[in-house]
Amino acid sequence: MKFTLKDYQEEAVKDVLDRLKKARKRWREDGDKHAFSLTATTGAGKTVMAAAVFEALFFGNDEFNVEADPGAVVIWFSDDPSLNEQSKWRLNQSSDKLTVSDLVTIENTFNRDSLEPGKVYFLNTQKLGKNSLLVRGHDAGEGKDERLPMPDARAFTIWDIIQNTIEHPDLTLHLVLDEAHRGMGETKAKNGDGKPTIVKQLINGTGSVPGIPIVWGISATVERFNKAMEGAKGRDTLSNVVVDTKKVQDSGLIKDVIILDVPDEDKGDFSTVLLRRGTNKLKAISEAWNTYAEQQGEAFTVVPLMVLQVPNSPDHNEIGKALETIFATWSDLHPGCVANVFGEHRTETFGSYSIPYIEPQRVQETKDIRILIAKDAISTGWDCPRAEVMVSFRAATDKTHITQLLGRMVRTPLARRIPGNDILNSVDCLLPRFNKTTAEEVVDYLTKGGEFGEEAATGRVLINPVDLKPNPTIPEDVWVKLVSLPSQSLPKRQSRPVKRLTILAHELAADGLLPGAGRKAHAVLHKALDNAQVKYAQEITKARQSVLEVEGQSVKTDMKTGKKSFDDFLEAADYAVIEDAYRRAGRIFSPDIARTYAEHVVAQASESEDEDAALIDAHTTIAALGLVSAIGPEIDAEAEKLANEWLTKHKGAIKTLTDERQESYRQIRELSAHPLDVEIARPKAWIQATTVREPNGTERALPRFEKHLLCDSKGAFPMEFGSSWEEKVLHAELKREGNVAWYRNPDRAAQESLGITYEDGHDIKIVRPDFIFFSQLGDKTIVADIVDPHGIQFADALPKLKGLARYAEDNPNIYRRIVAVAEIDSYFRILDLMKDNVRKAIYTATSAKSLYTSSIAETLDS
């Protein structure tokens, strides 16, 4: 793979491969057909996951412990040829093993007797329509023969090809349904009779053509697919693979914020006003990306575009006037910057402007396009990460069309979160024909999920928010203190330590921080394997013997009496057996380490020894090392130790790199079972709500506070509280002597958020304390206090306290105070976790309330 998979992607790929293996085994042994689905929210990287699956399916993968399937064939099916082309392009971009010749679009000229193994074939609904050249001559078994004649020079219809592939004894055909929730109903004939859709014909079979053996559905909304599979003919279902939406959000692949701008008034058409505002936002976000690129020293930058969404039957003159407004607002834009993606696929005339058509899958790469005019044809399956502003002329009744298109715009342009910058982590949607009440329904859809159980695709949705920038009154020492605070992250799905070390060595060498890092890493692990040969000499001798000899039994049967006798035999292993054992050891130590260690062993061999014989002997030794169970964990421990030493040693140098490079190292840290602490990123720009809507429909302005690290143009920070007493805690702390600033710690997985891990049963979770306060002592030193108001009624109250206590114990010189606050009988009681006796009491406590009511607790204002 060209990309390192995110932890949730790796988990999903492993689960999909496991289901494919089961389905393949049952098909080949018993002829049973199976289906399952992969459910992941928009922006999760479903095509990247598919690419990893195909690589493992066709070529094998040691990391997933998967052998290559020499008979695997895949049909990738959707109802949109442009969507297929985009998926094909993405698969090629994601994989370093799938070549252009492995990804085949089936055109009308396609002419084979069966599909070829090791390839992904792209088909769409239109190619299987009754008038398609690919199906002419096919007998669908529907009685009256209305078949069109097969084209000259064609020996097989596409249905014949599919049938031949299914029935081929050495092939296993897989059907991957992209946007699997579509096409699961029935089509209606002119006489009113129902007829299975083409998708269902592929699944269940048609005429003499059997259903495809293995069906894998991919979508953000798979309930329709799942229901269809329940009624499928002769097909069992395997458990579905479901990707946790929160993990996708935390990964930084999708935007953190969607901003909805709507008119304050309920009457009138504000199209021109908000269109100008949208154009100015496009200009501002373009400048922001240019500034970011300059700061990072990047040779390229993101080129944002604005989607102008219009009704399905648009007024072309009205669109022409909209373009005039856009060009007048930002003189850099001109008609050459505009394209349309209408379903008519032609140049459209809008007023005095002729605007060409562009294929949706080409928009992302065509940087000249800055304004994209769209209806709803691109609402599903298409996306364009650089589409960062949308102005919708659709009516308030078209909430679904708007939310679906917004769902296509949530991918982050650089496939990562920009540290501390909400503006570059957001998408703007301006709705001139909506009001706030209707916009709230869009918010509900986006935050609570759509139809058929689709989960939300973004973290926060804000209506008419305010931009916050660094507070100019805050001393620089406060900012320095903030970014020095150690933060923790949730342990990811642990990567193999040797693989983690290899990735780290590559990155350090690429950045010039440790030349020859890969060679140095291998040298350390070679030495560890040398030591293991001495330490486990006896065990290795026995293991080596088992590699070189093949034990077995021969069975002798007396045909007269039916009696059986068993005779043991022992034969010398041949080269193939030794190599198989060597490859298994490579899965333990990593294939790369096994290879270089073999070279290391051969280099130490006698000069008189034949080189080929020395290499076989080295492979035998490595195979034996892999059979000694204690050696693998020791090599892993050595790799983990070295990786953590390097990360600590080069910590300062890594901080001087660009955000993109720092992100690579952050991910490597998190690949450990026990991630190293990470520092908080300095927040640069936030977007914050200023009002909240009450249940009765009225709006309430949020209270505003001074001295926050980020503020609006008036120096204030709007704050929404989860409970009435949190505000009282904030007021009390701001009155504390020496207070100079405070920070509302974000409650999301942003790099500017301080996180602290805690154990809740068998799970590791994370708490993000509400407040960090900064005070100046008499000697001008800045000190930090963590203050976390938390209700004791929650089941995780005690586990969180224990996590905070361990964090305080591990960082005794970083903070002045770390206090947990709870309201008990109208009094605010606090536990100061910097005190030894408080921590000891927390570690042995059985309930949170008992701690707050005991003598170790103090009152907030004491």
Side-chain angles (χ1 to χ4, degrees):
M1 291 291 291
K2 295 176 183 175
F3 306 126
T4 300
L5 296 177
K6 304 289 186 183
D7 62 309
Y8 70 83
Q9 293 174 332
E10 196 170 316
E11 290 175 13
V13 169
K14 181 179 182 300
D15 291 341
V16 168
L17 288 169
D18 176 66
R19 283 150 182 75
L20 291 178
K21 181 179 179 181
K22 290 177 182 176
R24 179 170 66 251
K25 182 175 184 293
R26 294 171 187 175
W27 163 250
R28 289 183 175 174
E29 292 181 357
D30 304 314
D32 293 340
K33 301 171 186 174
H34 288 80
F36 69 95
S37 63
L38 168 66
T39 308
T41 188
T42 301
K46 293 184 282 290
T47 315
V48 172
M49 290 184 259
V53 169
F54 297 152
E55 276 195 0
L57 194 63
F58 296 156
F59 305 101
N61 186 288
D62 291 321
E63 188 70 21
F64 295 117
N65 196 24
V66 171
E67 299 280 351
D69 177 6
V73 190
V74 174
I75 291 177
W76 182 285
F77 190 87
S78 81
D79 64 358
D80 185 346
S82 64
L83 177 56
N84 267 1
E85 286 305 305
Q86 179 166 276
S87 299
K88 179 180 176 181
W89 181 84
R90 276 204 194 136
L91 288 172
N92 182 249
Q93 290 295 109
S94 302
S95 172
D96 55 6
K97 293 184 178 179
L98 296 172
T99 65
V100 174
S101 62
D102 296 327
L103 305 172
V104 181
T105 299
I106 295 182
E107 304 290 0
N108 289 328
T109 55
F110 188 80
N111 193 13
R112 290 181 57 94
D113 60 344
S114 62
L115 300 178
E116 188 178 353
K119 295 187 183 296
V120 180
Y121 291 92
F122 292 85
L123 260 179
N124 56 276
T125 307
Q126 295 81 354
K127 294 285 179 63
L128 294 179
K130 65 179 182 179
N131 295 322
S132 168
L133 292 174
L134 287 170
V135 304
R136 288 187 180 182
H138 170 63
D139 181 3
E142 298 175 356
K144 185 178 180 181
D145 192 350
E146 297 181 349
R147 287 179 290 172
L148 294 171
M150 187 181 297
D152 294 341
R154 184 187 295 283
F156 303 95
T157 70
I158 186 61
W159 289 108
D160 295 332
I161 296 169
I162 291 172
Q163 181 173 356
N164 293 340
T165 306
I166 294 170
E167 295 176 349
H168 195 294
D170 297 327
L171 300 179
T172 303
L173 183 57
H174 304 71
L175 175 64
V176 178
L177 296 177
D178 192 12
E179 300 293 340
H181 59 287
R182 298 162 73 174
M184 288 301 166
E186 289 188 336
T187 58
K188 293 291 184 181
K190 291 181 179 180
N191 61 5
D193 294 337
K195 178 183 177 182
T197 60
I198 288 173
V199 172
K200 282 197 169 183
Q201 292 176 51
L202 289 168
I203 295 169
N204 296 326
T206 175
S208 62
V209 183
I212 294 177
I214 301 172
V215 178
W216 171 22
I218 303 177
S219 178
T221 55
V222 292
E223 284 201 10
R224 287 179 186 167
F225 170 81
N226 293 338
K227 288 178 181 178
M229 292 305 99
E230 291 172 5
K233 302 174 184 176
R235 187 178 298 274
D236 295 323
T237 55
L238 299 169
S239 59
N240 297 324
V241 179
V242 181
V243 174
D244 186 342
T245 301
K246 188 177 185 305
K247 290 183 178 180
V248 181
Q249 183 67 54
D250 291 348
S251 73
L253 285 180
I254 58 179
K255 302 278 181 66
D256 287 330
V257 184
I258 291 180
I259 303 167
L260 302 183
D261 279 10
V262 297
D264 286 332
E265 294 85 357
D266 289 339
K267 296 180 180 179
D269 188 342
F270 296 87
S271 299
T272 303
V273 174
L274 290 192
L275 185 59
R276 283 199 300 266
R277 180 174 172 81
T279 306
N280 283 324
K281 287 200 171 194
L282 177 64
K283 181 180 181 181
I285 196 68
S286 300
E287 292 171 351
W289 277 116
N290 287 333
T291 300
Y292 179 74
E294 290 174 4
Q295 292 170 346
Q296 298 295 304
E298 299 285 3
F300 66 92
T301 186
V302 174
V303 182
L305 69 77
M306 179 171 75
V307 176
L308 182 60
Q309 189 186 33
V310 299
N312 285 351
S313 299
D315 183 329
H316 282 50
N317 288 326
E318 183 180 347
I319 297 174
K321 292 178 181 177
L323 291 175
E324 289 177 359
T325 300
I326 291 171
F327 301 149
T329 305
W330 189 9
S331 59
D332 286 356
L333 299 180
H334 51 81
C337 298
V338 188
N340 83 80
V341 283
F342 286 4
E344 291 77 8
H345 295 199
R346 68 191 182 201
T347 296
E348 299 283 346
T349 300
F350 302 121
S352 61
Y353 304 108
S354 292
I355 304 301
Y357 168 80
I358 186 172
E359 296 171 323
Q361 69 271 17
R362 291 186 51 236
V363 175
Q364 173 66 14
E365 64 190 49
T366 310
K367 302 296 177 64
D368 291 342
I369 303 303
R370 306 301 304 278
I371 307 294
L372 187 67
I373 306 173
K375 299 179 187 177
D376 61 1
I378 56 173
S379 295
T380 305
W382 169 89
D383 60 47
C384 181
R386 68 184 187 92
E388 301 211 89
V389 179
M390 178 173 79
V391 178
S392 179
F393 282 176
R394 298 193 79 105
T397 54
D398 288 342
K399 296 183 292 292
T400 301
H401 292 302
I402 290 169
T403 51
Q404 286 177 343
L405 182 51
L406 275 172
R408 314 317 309 171
M409 298 171 63
V410 296
R411 291 179 186 266
T412 49
L414 300 179
R416 60 180 172 85
R417 179 179 286 111
I418 306 303
N421 196 324
D422 276 354
I423 293 174
L424 297 183
N425 295 323
S426 64
V427 57
D428 281 279
C429 176
L430 296 93
L431 306 173
R433 296 176 184 176
F434 272 55
N435 55 39
K436 286 189 177 180
T437 302
T438 316
E440 289 283 353
E441 297 176 21
V442 177
V443 173
D444 288 342
Y445 187 105
L446 290 166
T447 56
K448 299 176 183 177
E451 63 173 344
F452 300 104
E454 180 183 5
E455 294 194 65
T458 191
R460 294 185 295 154
V461 183
L462 306 176
I463 298 177
N464 297 343
V466 64
D467 291 347
L468 304 178
K469 298 295 177 65
N471 191 330
T473 67
I474 302 299
E476 178 62 22
D477 287 351
V478 172
W479 293 100
V480 173
K481 184 66 176 179
L482 173 71
V483 298
S484 72
L485 301 179
S487 180
Q488 298 176 335
S489 58
L490 283 175
K492 306 299 181 183
R493 181 177 180 271
Q494 185 179 3
S495 174
R496 292 289 307 277
V498 174
K499 178 184 177 182
R500 177 173 177 251
L501 175 61
T502 302
I503 296 171
L504 174 60
H506 177 271
E507 302 293 357
L508 288 171
D511 289 322
L513 302 182
L514 185 60
R519 175 175 45 79
K520 293 174 182 177
H522 281 223
V524 170
L525 298 184
H526 292 169
K527 183 178 179 180
L529 287 168
D530 287 342
N531 293 338
Q533 287 204 57
V534 177
K535 182 178 180 180
Y536 298 100
Q538 290 184 335
E539 293 90 335
I540 292 171
T541 299
K542 292 180 182 178
R544 186 182 177 87
Q545 193 66 25
S546 69
V547 172
L548 292 171
E549 295 178 342
V550 178
E551 297 181 8
Q553 285 186 333
S554 60
V555 183
K556 183 169 67 178
T557 304
D558 189 314
M559 298 303 293
K560 291 182 179 180
T561 64
K563 291 183 178 180
K564 298 178 181 178
S565 61
F566 298 86
D567 296 319
D568 294 333
F569 69 82
L570 192 66
E571 296 284 349
D574 60 14
Y575 176 74
V577 172
I578 294 172
E579 286 302 292
D580 184 61
Y582 165 73
R583 282 192 294 271
R584 287 199 300 271
R587 295 194 187 110
I588 296 172
F589 306 127
S590 92
D592 202 29
I593 292 297
R595 176 185 58 79
T596 58
Y597 188 62
E599 295 170 356
H600 169 75
V601 172
V602 169
Q604 294 178 328
S606 169
E607 290 184 5
S608 61
E609 188 174 353
D610 179 74
E611 187 173 337
D612 290 340
L615 183 60
I616 293 173
D617 187 66
H619 283 194
T620 305
T621 299
I622 293 168
L625 288 166
L627 292 175
V628 179
S629 59
I631 296 178
E634 288 190 6
I635 299 303
D636 283 346
E638 193 67 32
E640 183 81 358
K641 176 184 174 184
L642 181 59
N644 289 345
E645 285 177 357
W646 281 355
L647 283 168
T648 301
K649 180 179 179 180
H650 299 285
K651 181 179 179 181
I654 290 171
K655 285 187 66 176
T656 66
L657 301 175
T658 64
D659 288 347
E660 180 182 19
R661 301 303 305 134
Q662 290 188 57
E663 173 69 10
S664 298
Y665 291 100
R666 185 183 69 82
Q667 292 181 15
I668 292 171
R669 286 173 176 269
E670 294 177 352
L671 286 175
S672 171
H674 305 286
L676 303 177
D677 286 346
V678 295
E679 293 180 350
I680 299 174
R682 183 167 179 160
K684 304 178 183 72
W686 280 7
I687 300 171
Q688 196 82 354
T690 57
T691 61
V692 63
R693 184 175 290 273
E694 303 289 3
N696 62 6
T698 60
E699 287 190 4
R700 173 175 55 85
L702 295 176
R704 301 186 179 222
F705 299 87
E706 296 182 344
K707 297 199 292 187
H708 190 270
L709 268 64
L710 293 106
C711 64
D712 61 18
S713 58
K714 298 180 180 179
F717 180 84
M719 174 77 182
E720 181 178 6
F721 297 94
S723 66
S724 59
W725 54 276
E726 287 181 357
E727 184 173 356
K728 297 177 182 177
V729 172
L730 175 57
H731 280 293
E733 289 293 331
L734 289 176
K735 293 177 183 176
R736 188 174 291 274
E737 184 178 356
N739 176 266
V740 293
W742 67 287
Y743 185 64
R744 176 60 174 94
N745 191 40
D747 60 355
R748 60 190 187 278
Q751 286 158 260
E752 66 268 28
S753 174
L754 187 148
I756 298 172
T757 58
Y758 68 96
E759 296 180 12
D760 189 3
H762 297 293
D763 297 327
I764 304 291
K765 297 182 179 179
I766 197 160
V767 58
R768 300 187 183 278
D770 285 350
F771 302 117
I772 303 173
F773 293 93
F774 299 90
S775 297
Q776 191 174 63
L777 303 182
D779 60 359
K780 305 299 182 181
T781 301
I782 297 294
V783 294
D785 299 336
I786 286 179
V787 179
D788 188 37
H790 193 74
I792 60 173
Q793 73 273 20
F794 300 108
D796 60 358
L798 184 59
K800 284 182 176 178
L801 283 175
K802 291 182 177 180
L804 288 167
R806 292 190 185 93
Y807 178 80
E809 187 173 2
D810 292 341
N811 298 283
N813 302 316
I814 303 296
Y815 297 93
R816 179 180 62 174
R817 298 160 62 235
I818 297 181
V819 299
V821 186
E823 185 178 29
I824 306 290
D825 300 327
S826 300
Y827 289 95
F828 295 117
R829 304 282 286 170
I830 70 169
L831 298 171
D832 189 345
L833 281 71
M834 299 302 291
K835 296 181 178 180
D836 289 339
N837 65 317
V838 174
R839 292 197 299 270
K840 289 177 182 177
I842 290 173
Y843 294 150
T844 58
T846 56
S847 76
K849 185 174 182 179
S850 65
L851 292 166
Y852 285 106
T853 56
S854 69
S855 59
I856 64 170
E858 308 167 27
T859 57
L860 180 63
D861 56 351
S862 64

